[in-house]
Amino acid sequence: MDAVSHQPTQLTTTFKTKQSMYIFFQVHPAGQNGAVCLLWYVNNKVFFPYALSVYPNERTTYSYASYGGTGSGYVELYWASTTKCTDKVLAQRVNFTVS
C-alpha cells in the first residue's frame, strides 16, 4: 500500500505467513452512515472479524489482516447499518492463499 495515497501498489492473492493482507474496496453508502463488516477466514475458520464505520460521502476504503499460519482463505465483506453487524448483508467474497 502506498503510504500517501492509500492505494494498492501490487495486486496479489498469495501472501506469506504474518504478511499484511490489504483489501481495498469501493463503498456506495447512498448518503447514509453505515458499516462494512469483514470476516477473514483461513481453512474455513474465522481468524479476524472486523467492522468499520462508513460515512455518507465515502467512496473507497480498505482494511487489512495478517495470519500466522498457512492455508486457503477468504474475506467476506458485508454491508450493515452499524458496526454491530446485526443486519449485515453479504456484498462480496475474495479468495486468497497464505503460504
Side-chain angles (χ1 to χ4, degrees):
M1 177 179 80
D2 182 83
V4 176
S5 69
H6 298 282
Q7 295 297 310
T9 55
Q10 183 178 1
L11 301 178
T12 186
T13 58
T14 304
F15 301 91
K16 295 190 182 305
T17 299
K18 296 184 182 178
Q19 179 182 1
S20 292
M21 301 176 286
Y22 287 87
I23 185 163
F24 294 81
F25 48 94
Q26 294 182 344
V27 292
H28 306 279
Q32 299 179 25
N33 289 324
V36 174
C37 308
L38 299 101
L39 294 175
W40 293 82
Y41 293 81
V42 168
N43 300 323
N44 292 315
K45 294 183 182 174
V46 174
F47 73 92
F48 186 55
Y50 183 71
L52 58 106
S53 295
V54 174
Y55 301 100
N57 295 323
E58 282 190 84
R59 295 293 174 252
T60 59
T61 190
Y62 71 94
S63 184
Y64 67 95
S66 65
Y67 186 71
T70 61
S72 296
Y74 54 94
V75 58
E76 293 178 337
L77 294 92
Y78 295 86
W79 178 256
S81 61
T82 71
T83 56
K84 291 184 181 188
C85 301
T86 55
D87 61 347
K88 68 184 187 284
V89 176
L90 183 63
Q92 188 170 4
R93 176 180 159 157
V94 179
N95 296 318
F96 61 88
T97 302
V98 182
S99 56

